[in-house]
Amino acid sequence: MNPLKTVAGTIIAGTVLAVVIAAATMGISFNAASFIVWIHVIAGITWIGLLYYFNFVQVPALSDAMADDGGPGGAGITKYVAPRSLWWFRWGAALTWLSGAAYLGHLGRFHHAFALGMLDGGMASDMVIGIGAWFGTIMLFNVWVLIWPNQKKVLGIVPA
């Protein structure tokens, strides 16, 4: 039985592997900050990996499929692949942002970061991480408020 033949099996295998690597690098004791960072990195890889997939694989493939007169067209991609990959894309974005916010909250730096270190007690590092936090917030907004509503129209999920 190969666990990598199903999505659920792949996720479980990846989670088990991540736990083994985390235990090997952090030790057996639980470290909340490291756990939050692991979630943030895994969600970020999912989010950005899907972005590369859309830009370098799906969009050109859909263009080729639509141009193929004797082929199946793009129905398979638009009906089955795109909605599923957009689901993972949206929730990867949300989990990346939430885990980043949770880490900043865990450190007690959430407000300082989003204020770019300009609050009393702010540090120079708050500005650096705050710029990243604001970029992430803008990107999350882009995914949920601009991309997803328009993709639903393109895919025929809602009327255009």
Side-chain angles (χ1 to χ4, degrees):
M1 180 179 111
N2 182 351
L4 303 180
K5 288 189 176 188
T6 65
V7 172
T10 302
I11 291 171
I12 291 168
T15 302
V16 169
L17 181 60
V19 168
V20 169
I21 292 170
T25 58
M26 293 186 299
I28 299 302
S29 64
F30 181 76
N31 181 327
S34 293
F35 178 73
I36 295 169
V37 169
W38 269 83
I39 300 260
H40 185 66
V41 169
I42 290 169
I45 289 169
T46 301
W47 181 15
I48 300 305
L50 281 164
L51 181 63
Y52 281 113
Y53 162 76
F54 288 129
N55 289 325
F56 297 130
V57 178
Q58 184 173 295
V59 170
L62 188 54
S63 176
D64 292 344
M66 298 301 269
D68 185 4
D69 290 335
I77 295 172
T78 58
K79 185 174 180 181
Y80 300 105
V81 178
R84 186 174 295 169
S85 54
L86 283 164
W87 186 92
W88 284 96
F89 182 67
R90 288 190 323 275
W91 291 105
L95 186 57
T96 302
W97 192 93
L98 289 171
S99 58
Y103 184 66
L104 288 173
H106 179 78
L107 297 177
R109 308 306 301 168
F110 182 88
H111 292 92
H112 291 285
F114 276 92
L116 301 175
M118 292 187 252
L119 298 176
D120 286 340
M123 302 182 293
S125 60
D126 292 327
M127 179 179 284
V128 173
I129 198 67
I131 290 169
W134 275 109
F135 275 134
T137 302
I138 292 165
M139 290 166 57
L140 178 70
F141 178 85
N142 185 44
V143 167
W144 280 92
V145 178
L146 301 175
I147 294 173
W148 177 233
N150 288 305
Q151 282 297 321
K152 287 193 292 187
K153 292 174 188 172
V154 168
L155 297 172
I157 296 170
V158 299

